[in-house]
Amino acid sequence: MAALDKILTVDEMKAKARRSVPKMFFEYADSGSYTEGTYRDNESDFGKISLKQKVAVNLENRNLKTRMLGNEITMPVAIAPAATGGMQIADGEIKAARAAEKYGIPFTLSTMSVCSIEDVAENTTAPFWFQLYVMRDRGFIERLIDRAKAAKCSALVLTMDLQILGQRHKDIKNGLATPPKLNAYSVWQMMQHPIWCARMLGTKRHTFRNIVGHVSGDHDLASLSAWTSSQFDPALDWADVKWVKKRFDGPVIVKGVLDPDDAQAAIDNGADAIVVSNHGGRQLDGAPSTIRVLPEIVDRVGHKTEVYLDSGIRSGQDVLKAMAFGAKGTFIGRPMLYGLGAGGEAGVTRVLDILRKELDTTMALCGERDILNVGLHNIYSNDIPPRNAPVARGA
Ligand SMILES: Cc1cc2nc3c(=O)[nH]c(=O)nc-3n(C[C@H](O)[C@H](O)[C@H](O)COP(=O)(O)O)c2cc1C
């Protein structure tokens, strides 16, 4: 197996994670909804954008530092919230949060994480961001927001694109649908990975610890999963952004926006920033890639708020392209999960090293010394067809 320092790309990290993590958990990360068309487009659309090479520019003293929500970060990459990071490797969310903290970038903990808000707070020192799914049980959500406040989370990331769960076929086939079906096949999958199993046996963190013990009723894992999936609130609307912001009394980032009118509505209802996201292609299959809609959203609201992007970032080049189109920062979901699966905290750190090096080299070869100066002049922006233009078949 490749040592982490021999791994040169996120794709190679993914291959190592595939070998290290039981199939059902690896495929939980490596899946999109239905045909996975949006999941694929997120990645491939970045490849359609060409970069402008510039030469004879002084490239000394380059800078990747920037700000998200006013805080200085060492590069424009944040860790996206991802459910069950703690199933890619034992205590996964704590490990990813530590890697982010040491790197000086934001870490976002999912509502559906294995390690709880308190677990992460006890094992890190930098403030982190907490991602909120609004559920029908508003008493539980109020307590969750209060717990995030008590843990000194510095922002809430409010996810708006999961009122209804998109279907990922692999999860059903692997028995990961809710409630989970632990059958002979899934147990066999886990036993193929003795190191993974040994680490899991060494931790007490095996379930959704933001939820267990915090909702009424006596739940085992199966009934808890059923409770959770029945709890995503289909009635969620823009007024809830205001409600959440008032309760949290701090910055709220609205995640899951693909439409300029929605971006505007998020801001009108108090969002402090937005994430252009299609949930990594896990929700509405057939939705456009995020890099394709980013320009129109930046045009509409970029002068009023910070616009971030996730979904499909697999290299520092992708980060640069998103910044060129006007994003003020990016998030990585699967690259972080692959790093965790392949090597825990060191794996996530290696992913960040890879992205950083790629971003720095690409920026320099585009003739830029400062990430803050990257813009449309660094790319051939016509390479991405506008969303409403007919796309020729087979083009
Ligand atoms: C396995 C997995 C679990 C996820 N869980 C959550 C979640 O709990 N909350 C959330 O807001 N987004 C969740 N997401 C979406 C990510 O936050 C992010 O939008 C997406 O992963 C970005 O795309 P990328 O994986 O291509 O980087 C999840 C994504 C994956 C792959």
Side-chain angles (χ1 to χ4, degrees):
M1 259 201 257
L4 287 173
D5 58 359
K6 300 269 182 327
I7 289 180
L8 301 180
T9 64
V10 167
D11 262 1
E12 288 176 16
M13 192 66 80
K14 176 177 178 177
K16 186 165 164 62
R18 190 192 294 275
R19 294 190 297 269
S20 312
V21 176
K23 181 169 175 275
M24 62 179 151
F25 297 119
F26 174 79
E27 289 193 343
Y28 177 70
D30 181 28
S31 60
S33 57
Y34 292 149
T35 70
E36 302 193 332
T38 297
Y39 178 24
R40 284 190 297 277
D41 289 351
N42 279 337
E43 295 181 23
S44 60
D45 278 355
F46 276 110
K48 293 176 186 157
I49 307 166
S50 310
L51 297 162
K52 276 192 196 160
Q53 173 177 305
K54 295 294 284 178
V55 294
V57 175
N58 179 351
L59 297 173
E60 285 177 323
N61 303 322
R62 293 186 301 283
N63 171 54
L64 294 179
K65 281 191 197 139
T66 181
R67 290 179 178 272
M68 284 172 88
L69 281 185
N71 296 312
E72 188 172 275
I73 53 176
T74 53
M75 64 174 169
V77 176
I79 303 289
T84 65
M87 286 289 143
Q88 305 300 320
I89 193 167
D91 301 330
E93 292 92 356
I94 292 173
K95 290 172 177 158
R98 283 184 171 159
E101 174 172 347
K102 286 185 194 147
Y103 230 89
I105 60 160
F107 170 80
T108 317
L109 183 73
S110 163
T111 293
M112 302 306 296
S113 55
V114 173
C115 302
S116 66
I117 302 174
E118 293 78 10
D119 289 332
V120 173
E122 278 162 22
N123 287 283
T124 53
T125 51
F128 57 97
W129 296 349
F130 182 67
Q131 176 267 327
L132 187 72
Y133 280 131
V134 174
M135 297 185 172
R136 291 176 202 259
D137 182 342
R138 291 301 167 100
F140 167 64
I141 295 304
E142 284 176 3
R143 292 194 297 281
L144 201 55
I145 295 173
D146 294 348
R147 285 166 60 200
K149 256 166 53 172
K152 304 210 165 19
C153 290
S154 51
L156 275 190
V157 176
L158 174 58
T159 300
M160 298 294 285
D161 62 1
L162 203 134
Q163 290 163 270
I164 303 277
L165 202 60
Q167 179 166 311
R168 301 140 205 164
H169 299 322
K170 287 175 195 153
D171 292 350
I172 296 175
K173 295 204 165 112
N174 285 327
L176 254 186
T178 49
K181 298 174 192 113
L182 265 190
N183 51 30
Y185 179 50
S186 56
V187 171
W188 179 82
Q189 285 180 37
M190 289 191 254
M191 290 176 68
Q192 303 307 301
H193 297 278
I195 298 176
W196 181 93
C197 289
R199 286 185 177 132
M200 279 295 167
L201 289 172
T203 180
K204 56 185 185 208
R205 303 183 183 102
H206 298 130
T207 184
F208 302 122
R209 286 168 60 89
N210 283 326
I211 298 176
V212 173
H214 298 279
V215 293
S216 45
D218 194 13
H219 290 285
D220 61 12
L221 185 57
S223 72
L224 179 78
S225 296
W227 178 88
T228 305
S229 57
S230 70
Q231 277 289 324
F232 293 115
D233 191 348
L236 179 72
D237 65 18
W238 293 119
D240 290 312
V241 178
K242 272 192 188 141
W243 177 79
V244 165
K245 193 169 158 72
K246 188 156 184 260
R247 180 91 195 179
F248 182 60
D249 196 21
V252 171
I253 303 170
V254 166
K255 172 171 182 280
V257 173
L258 285 185
D259 174 71
D261 291 341
D262 282 355
Q264 184 64 59
I267 295 167
D268 293 343
N269 286 283
D272 296 279
I274 60 167
V275 190
V276 175
S277 171
N278 55 32
H279 219 102
R282 296 165 72 78
Q283 285 295 99
L284 178 61
D285 187 37
S289 67
T290 50
I291 193 66
R292 230 167 130 178
V293 296
L294 178 66
E296 56 187 307
I297 294 179
V298 168
D299 274 357
R300 181 74 170 273
V301 300
H303 57 292
K304 295 184 219 162
T305 196
E306 291 188 357
V307 177
Y308 311 138
L309 173 137
D310 77 15
S311 302
I313 301 271
R314 296 294 176 270
S315 72
Q317 293 216 323
D318 298 340
V319 175
L320 185 111
K321 289 171 184 176
M323 299 295 282
F325 273 117
K328 296 288 181 218
T330 62
F331 287 74
I332 51 165
R334 293 180 185 87
M336 173 274 294
L337 293 172
Y338 299 148
L340 272 184
E345 181 180 332
V348 177
T349 301
R350 182 71 191 148
V351 165
L352 296 173
D353 282 341
I354 291 168
L355 296 180
R356 187 186 170 84
K357 179 103 196 306
E358 290 168 338
L359 176 59
D360 180 50
T361 304
T362 305
M363 181 178 82
L365 293 175
C366 286
E368 295 292 347
R369 286 201 301 192
D370 191 337
I371 194 71
L372 299 173
N373 293 337
V374 166
L376 284 174
H377 60 280
N378 298 119
I379 54 174
Y380 294 89
S381 49
N382 289 342
D383 286 353
I384 283 224
R387 185 174 54 86
N388 292 323
V391 182
R393 277 198 178 276

